[in-house]
Amino acid sequence: MGERRYAEQEEALEIKSLRRIIDAYANYHDAAERDVKRYERSFKMLPPAHKELLFHLGLKYQRLRWCISMNASFITNMLEAFEPPFDMRQYVDVDDHDCGKGMHGHCHADCAHSIERGDFSRSSLSVNNSELHEPDNCPRKDRKTHELSRETDNRNEVVGMEGCAQPVGDKLGAFQGVDKSCNGVKDVNAESNCQDTDCVAYSANENVTPMELMAPSLPLDVPPIDVDKVRCIIRNIVRDWAQEGQKERDECYKPILEELNRLFPNRSKQRPPSCLVPGAGLGRLALEISSLGFVSQGNEFSYYMMICSSYILNHTQEANEWTIYPWVHSNCNSLSDNDQLRPVSFPDVHPSSSGITEGFSMCAGDFVEVYNEESQESAWDAVVTCFFLDTAHNIVEYIEIISKVLKDGGVWINLGPLLYHFADSYGPDDDMSIELSLEDVKRVAYHYGFVMEVEKMVDTTYTVNMKSMMQNQYHAAFWTMRKNASRPKA
């Protein structure tokens, strides 16, 4: 009885967390409209002579509203397509926005590497398909705690499921099935496994869509940090799925893809090598690796990211194209109004026509919890981490698990800085944050059996506005290490 009550409490928290994320997306238009009204109020305070000089701002504000409506249209379509892994009609009396005092407001001038990552808890929930196969002023990734008492900023967003989804039809159908293997390969015992656990296959018929849960007449009380997370997602779309993001992808993804190509020159179509991509974000790098001929699995902790990535992977396959306006909220450092309001079309590559390898999947959940399982030991030929290592509370644990999941002789390719995401976390719980130098990170890797093969530094940006007057740059570490289990620990 106690275990059942605990499971119900966990599910209530998870539904509450997911509802909060859906609310943040649904609130995008209203939050943006409040910003425009603030601009208009400031304009009205000007002396008449200054108003006359800047008369064009009235037209700009109307253009802003139109651009915002286009972004909101995309978000609405995305939410309508999303199939929640829970019955969202449950626990509707739970207060979804009890903002705590210890909110983690860790921001970065060029945005976090990815959206905050506190959206999942205990295990993993994946989306996969056997056939389809932090911008400016953006918050950092969420924390990964599992207690029932969580800080609202990040911990209210914890959503966990027992297992990963099996291939469903011809789509990456978001969160529709369960597979205990979580390795991109269909488990013949998955059905029997699910009968012995709490795994449940959900479909749109058994659930309600997020948009059906919205009450437009009731204003949503969405914290400002959640508003920023949604805007970060829009900018991450540019990085991963738009032509404008090609420069960043060439800087970050291209060296990784070239290294995989060099290390695995004779890939077999019958038995392709496997590659795990923790911190996969919106899925482009994992998809590119799959297109090279790998059984690729992206792992992502943020439900903000997973909702968006599953929509792009599933619903942009019919040669359709979306247009968004990712820089409308960046009044500062704009070269011109036209630059700020310029459209960005995506996707530049349609997943269904990208030639990906069968077995491609996206698995949602905490990297430590999902891949620290015995079934993952020595399961992967390669692990690729891009702007991921510094998302850890304990980077030693990340490295230990990377070593554990790699086969002997497997390779670890990394690119990214060490801008530790919890370094400036101030709150009553004092989140653990182990912040090592690059030298110490390499020493820890050598301890867990890695041998350095390639090492260099790469200059790059992250979700930067290429037409902004401010563009922060990383001098990121790039390496290839090989696991040598026989190597004595230092």
Side-chain angles (χ1 to χ4, degrees):
M1 181 66 69
E3 291 182 1
R4 180 176 179 180
R5 185 178 297 111
Y6 178 79
E8 290 176 350
Q9 289 176 323
E10 282 289 289
E11 182 173 296
L13 282 173
E14 291 163 353
I15 291 175
K16 174 182 176 182
S17 304
L18 180 53
R19 188 177 289 117
R20 172 174 172 170
I21 293 166
I22 293 170
D23 283 356
Y25 272 121
N27 181 66
Y28 168 80
H29 186 277
D30 290 347
E33 174 63 22
R34 287 193 293 270
D35 286 347
V36 177
K37 288 181 176 178
R38 177 171 56 84
Y39 306 153
E40 291 175 331
R41 287 195 301 271
S42 295
F43 180 79
K44 290 178 180 179
M45 296 177 187
L46 289 173
H50 295 177
K51 286 182 181 178
E52 185 176 354
L53 181 64
L54 301 175
F55 72 93
H56 66 283
L57 289 184
L59 177 60
K60 175 186 176 180
Y61 299 150
Q62 294 309 309
R63 291 176 64 195
L64 272 174
R65 284 189 167 94
W66 188 86
C67 295
I68 289 165
S69 72
M70 295 296 290
N71 291 347
S73 176
F74 166 74
I75 290 172
T76 297
N77 280 272
M78 180 180 72
L79 290 180
E80 288 177 343
F82 174 57
E83 297 177 6
F86 308 103
D87 183 350
M88 298 296 291
R89 294 165 294 191
Q90 299 181 89
Y91 312 109
V92 293
D93 59 331
V94 179
D95 179 12
D96 289 348
H97 299 296
D98 52 335
C99 301
K101 295 180 180 179
M103 294 185 72
H104 182 50
H106 189 167
C107 296
H108 181 263
D110 253 347
C111 188
H113 309 336
S114 164
I115 201 67
E116 301 205 22
R117 294 185 181 273
D119 305 334
F120 290 92
S121 175
R122 292 199 167 252
S123 184
S124 69
L125 179 67
S126 88
V127 289
N128 68 47
N129 178 1
S130 60
E131 294 184 16
L132 167 65
H133 345 321
E134 235 141 50
D136 301 333
N137 305 320
C138 196
R140 302 290 295 186
K141 299 172 186 170
D142 291 343
R143 53 200 75 182
K144 302 177 287 190
T145 53
H146 316 296
E147 298 84 359
L148 287 179
S149 58
R150 299 172 171 89
E151 290 183 33
T152 336
D153 167 33
N154 298 315
R155 297 168 189 171
N156 278 357
E157 299 165 8
V158 181
V159 179
M161 291 293 289
E162 296 291 328
C164 294
Q166 303 172 31
V168 282
D170 59 351
K171 288 189 176 182
L172 269 145
F175 320 126
Q176 296 183 53
V178 183
D179 179 354
K180 301 302 289 185
S181 63
C182 204
N183 60 4
V185 180
K186 188 171 182 179
D187 186 351
V188 294
N189 297 318
E191 184 175 351
S192 59
N193 284 343
C194 287
Q195 293 173 352
D196 297 331
T197 68
D198 293 331
C199 302
V200 180
Y202 292 88
S203 71
N205 293 329
E206 297 169 328
N207 230 325
V208 291
T209 67
M211 293 308 295
E212 289 173 331
L213 294 167
M214 297 297 105
S217 60
L218 299 177
L220 297 174
D221 182 19
V222 176
I225 192 168
D226 290 4
V227 173
D228 286 339
K229 291 174 186 177
V230 173
R231 295 175 182 181
C232 281
I233 290 293
I234 294 174
R235 293 168 181 171
N236 271 273
I237 291 173
V238 179
R239 172 180 169 85
D240 259 19
W241 292 102
Q243 183 60 40
E244 188 171 314
Q246 187 64 54
K247 181 176 183 294
E248 281 191 358
R249 293 197 297 274
D250 286 345
E251 292 169 351
C252 295
Y253 299 170
K254 190 175 180 180
I256 292 171
L257 298 171
E258 290 176 345
E259 191 71 352
L260 283 171
N261 219 17
R262 180 186 70 83
L263 293 166
F264 297 88
N266 301 310
R267 297 182 289 278
S268 167
K269 290 184 178 180
Q270 286 70 38
R271 299 186 64 182
S274 58
C275 182
L276 174 63
V277 188
L282 295 184
R284 179 62 177 266
L285 178 58
L287 181 134
E288 295 282 358
I289 291 172
S290 177
S291 298
L292 278 182
F294 290 78
V295 175
S296 170
Q297 181 172 95
N299 166 241
E300 179 52 51
F301 194 39
S302 168
Y303 228 133
Y304 284 96
M305 286 284 190
M306 288 301 296
I307 290 173
C308 186
S309 65
S310 103
Y311 182 73
I312 293 173
L313 291 168
N314 287 331
H315 298 280
T316 55
Q317 302 170 30
E318 306 295 332
N320 57 323
E321 192 173 80
W322 281 97
T323 298
I324 55 173
Y325 296 81
W327 317 115
V328 290
H329 307 290
S330 304
N331 277 335
C332 300
N333 291 306
S334 293
L335 294 174
S336 70
D337 291 347
N338 285 337
D339 285 339
Q340 181 186 355
L341 305 181
R342 70 187 184 274
V344 174
S345 297
F346 75 95
D348 64 324
V349 170
H350 290 88
S352 60
S353 59
S354 61
I356 62 178
T357 304
E358 183 175 352
F360 170 70
S361 62
M362 291 286 288
C363 188
D366 181 350
F367 170 71
V368 171
E369 294 196 355
V370 175
Y371 295 96
N372 203 23
E373 299 290 335
E374 185 177 346
S375 62
Q376 293 294 315
E377 190 168 346
S378 300
W380 300 91
D381 296 298
V383 173
V384 165
T385 52
C386 184
F387 278 76
F388 173 72
L389 284 184
D390 56 3
T391 68
H393 284 283
N394 178 4
I395 192 172
V396 177
E397 187 175 38
Y398 270 21
I399 297 170
E400 180 181 20
I401 293 173
I402 291 170
S403 176
K404 177 180 177 179
V405 303
L406 275 173
K407 300 175 182 177
D408 191 20
V411 295
W412 172 25
I413 303 172
N414 174 74
L415 188 149
L418 294 173
L419 185 62
Y420 292 100
H421 289 200
F422 302 98
D424 299 327
S425 175
Y426 302 105
D429 293 341
D430 290 329
D431 278 318
M432 178 173 65
S433 180
I434 305 301
E435 299 141 22
L436 303 183
S437 67
L438 179 58
E439 181 181 4
D440 279 347
V441 169
K442 291 188 288 186
R443 186 169 61 86
V444 170
Y446 300 152
H447 172 80
Y448 285 104
F450 285 105
V451 177
M452 183 72 75
E453 291 191 351
V454 175
E455 183 180 14
K456 62 182 178 181
M457 305 303 288
V458 174
D459 291 332
T460 186
T461 56
Y462 194 96
T463 60
V464 74
N465 180 354
M466 299 307 296
K467 295 188 178 182
S468 171
M469 296 167 64
M470 185 184 76
Q471 300 180 13
N472 288 357
Q473 188 173 63
Y474 293 96
H475 194 52
F478 176 89
W479 68 66
T480 297
M481 296 189 190
R482 190 176 296 275
K483 178 182 173 181
N484 183 357
S486 63
R487 185 180 186 274
K489 293 186 176 181

